[in-house]
Amino acid sequence: MSDRVARITRTGGPEVIEWVDIDLPPPGAGEVRMRHHAVGLNYIDTYHRSGVYPVELPSGLGSEAAGVIEAVGEGVEGFAVGDRVGTFGPARGAYATARNVAARQLLHLPDDIDDATAAALLLKGCTTECLVDRCARVQPGQTVLVWAAAGGVGQLLVGWLKAIGATVIGTAGTAAKADHARAAGADRVLLHRDEDVAARVREITHGEGVATVFDGVGQATWQASLDSVARRGLIVSYGNAGGAVTGVSLGTLAAKGSLFVTRPTLFDYYVTPEERRAGVDRVFAMLRRGAIRPQIGQRFPLERAADAHRALEQGETRGSTVLTVG
């Protein structure tokens, strides 16, 4: 039986996503064949599709999926046919009904984590762990700003930050999205279309600004992030939904209060199997204690991935989006 897989042969809008029939070969050495049950949609998928992040063409799309092992290649240890597994990359190709994937990029899914939750949580959850614990090292009592606090990563950031004792100011585009950010735990939510975010942040913090800004928007919010952060504070720029930040002036960082800026990539923090396992275990622990609650705001059939991309880029989604298989 043939499987279906998404391919792009050129970069551009969602229309460049094509679906093709393939006959998967047996898994090679160090690989397993993974049958997908649920696939996660992430903003980085749109960057690969559009060319913001260049990829070698033709290319698959998507890095996050949950499913079951159907076959095991030579030399694979620790995984067997029938095991429930998940992956969050870095290899692309998750937009598929099945694929051969390196066993080193897999993790076992515990019985209390269903496939849809895993597909909605793994990449975003590990990104959250990386940003808060490993990159920014946020401390209890600090006040932080989270842009797009109602988004997939945004809601997880809010819950995680509250769980470790931070005070969270979030931003949202609409009153409905603000409600979702508050439900995730945000102490204050600013409507960025109606309010001067930086001025309100200064007002809320009595002029000091926040210790850390988590900015997944990019160019559109860069100036407001600069104006919101406290002296010697940190801007964590982790996404380009509003355009890529370019031309960062070191002189501006000095003038704004000796600021720090970083542009982290998850897989620079999740290099070794031990780092990956520790991060995933921390994510599952936060999930079990109720600190983070991945909200699946919408589901699309796998082959409607282009529609899911359009909804995501147009700001029509809330929480996480899962592509369903079968």
Side-chain angles (χ1 to χ4, degrees), residues 70-119:
E70 288 189 331
V72 175
E74 182 181 355
V76 171
E77 297 181 356
F79 293 98
V81 172
D83 285 355
R84 293 183 60 240
V85 292
T87 182
F88 55 96
R92 293 181 303 280
Y95 290 13
T97 54
R99 63 171 168 157
N100 293 331
V101 59
R104 66 179 180 275
Q105 295 186 18
L106 295 179
L107 57 102
H108 288 99
L109 294 180
D111 292 340
D112 61 336
I113 309 291
D114 63 70
D115 292 330
T117 298

Side-chain angles (χ1 to χ4, degrees), residues 155-171:
Q155 289 190 41
L156 297 180
L157 279 169
V158 170
W160 198 292
L161 289 160
K162 288 302 297 179
I164 65 173
T167 297
V168 180
I169 303 171
T171 76

Side-chain angles (χ1 to χ4, degrees), residues 22-219:
I22 60 168
D23 292 316
L24 279 172
E31 293 183 333
V32 306
R33 177 179 295 171
M34 179 181 175
R35 174 70 50 189
H36 293 165
H37 291 166
V39 174
L41 174 70
N42 293 282
Y43 221 104
I44 194 172
D45 301 351
T46 71
Y47 300 157
H48 292 144
R49 186 213 72 224
S50 66
V52 171
Y53 290 172
V55 297
E56 185 177 346
L57 299 175
S59 175
L61 286 174
S63 58
E64 183 178 39
V68 63
I69 293 176
E70 288 189 331
V72 175
E74 182 181 355
V76 171
E77 297 181 356
F79 293 98
V81 172
D83 285 355
R84 293 183 60 240
V85 292
T87 182
F88 55 96
R92 293 181 303 280
Y95 290 13
T97 54
R99 63 171 168 157
N100 293 331
V101 59
R104 66 179 180 275
Q105 295 186 18
L106 295 179
L107 57 102
H108 288 99
L109 294 180
D111 292 340
D112 61 336
I113 309 291
D114 63 70
D115 292 330
T117 298
L121 179 66
L122 285 174
L123 184 60
K124 297 179 185 69
C126 290
T127 296
T128 300
E129 187 273 339
C130 161
L131 295 178
V132 176
D133 289 357
R134 304 189 192 199
C135 178
R137 301 181 182 180
V138 176
Q139 299 300 306
Q142 290 183 332
T143 300
V144 302
L145 173 65
V146 176
W147 287 96
V153 174
Q155 289 190 41
L156 297 180
L157 279 169
V158 170
W160 198 292
L161 289 160
K162 288 302 297 179
I164 65 173
T167 297
V168 180
I169 303 171
T171 76
T174 66
K177 288 190 174 183
D179 288 339
H180 290 297
R182 291 188 192 96
D187 296 282
R188 305 287 287 269
V189 183
L190 309 178
L191 296 177
H192 66 80
R193 295 172 182 168
D194 303 327
E195 303 180 78
D196 183 329
V197 170
R200 291 284 289 120
V201 166
R202 291 289 174 179
E203 178 184 342
I204 293 167
T205 59
H206 308 289
E208 291 188 6
V210 294
T212 302
V213 175
F214 292 97
D215 190 339
V217 180
Q219 184 62 44

Side-chain angles (χ1 to χ4, degrees), residues 11-33:
T11 57
E15 69 280 357
V16 304
I17 301 174
E18 302 174 346
W19 289 90
V20 297
D21 293 313
I22 60 168
D23 292 316
L24 279 172
E31 293 183 333
V32 306
R33 177 179 295 171

Side-chain angles (χ1 to χ4, degrees), residues 275-294:
E275 288 175 334
R276 291 170 69 97
R277 184 73 260 171
V280 170
D281 286 348
R282 178 93 161 110
V283 170
F284 286 165
M286 282 294 218
L287 177 66
R288 291 185 178 111
R289 66 181 280 192
I292 56 174
R293 299 180 297 275

